[in-house]
Amino acid sequence: METVKIRRELLEYLLELAREFYPNEFAGFLRERDGIFEEVLIAPAGHFGRNSAFFNTWMLPYDETIKGTVHSHPSPNPWPSQADLEFFSKFGGVHLIIAYPFTEESVRAYKNDGTRLRLEVLD
């Protein structure tokens, strides 16, 4: 299984965002430096609802460091839906889903096609 690397500080921030947005979903874009995800960009003017999150992609800056996405599921289901897979196919190569109860154990990483990746948290 391939591995995705993320800084602990970023992961903790993403978990906090998921808790703050609950019971709604949140979504963002992950910036990678030297093979490690280190920052998140939350799209401006997004709509974050109980069953979906969406935003205007034309509002995103051109940024070659964006290599993935993240979004939360307000349910304990960490698996990508068909809508998630369609979204994955348009952005980056790594996609994180943070499922309720928004703990490190409820985070899953996937490729564009929905294949699961191993998540390595770096201090």
Side-chain angles (χ1 to χ4, degrees):
M1 184 181 298
E2 292 178 54
T3 300
V4 174
K5 296 178 182 180
I6 187 171
R7 295 272 181 224
R8 179 167 304 281
E9 182 178 12
L10 174 58
L11 181 59
E12 289 173 359
Y13 180 62
L14 295 173
L15 293 170
E16 185 60 34
L17 281 174
R19 291 181 198 112
E20 286 180 15
F21 275 82
Y22 182 81
N24 295 325
E25 290 190 12
F26 92 93
F29 297 88
L30 297 171
R31 286 183 169 147
E32 180 186 75
R33 288 199 182 95
D34 300 321
I36 302 168
F37 286 104
E38 295 188 341
E39 294 180 350
V40 63
L41 172 67
I42 305 298
H47 168 77
F48 305 104
R50 288 181 182 238
N51 298 310
S52 65
F54 64 89
F55 40 83
N56 291 316
T57 55
W58 58 268
M59 294 187 76
L60 292 173
Y62 176 74
D63 186 339
E64 291 184 359
T65 66
I66 294 175
K67 301 293 184 184
T69 68
V70 59
H71 75 279
S72 63
H73 280 184
S75 74
N77 175 7
W79 305 107
S81 66
Q82 189 60 42
D84 291 338
L85 292 173
E86 289 173 23
F87 177 72
F88 291 177
S89 72
K90 296 177 174 123
F91 296 99
V94 173
H95 308 279
L96 301 182
I97 294 178
I98 304 173
Y100 182 86
F102 315 122
T103 62
E104 193 171 318
E105 294 75 29
S106 67
V107 179
R108 300 288 186 275
Y110 300 96
K111 288 182 172 183
N112 286 357
D113 65 1
T115 302
R116 188 149 173 216
L117 300 166
R118 186 170 136 338
L119 190 64
E120 181 180 351
V121 182
L122 305 174
D123 289 318

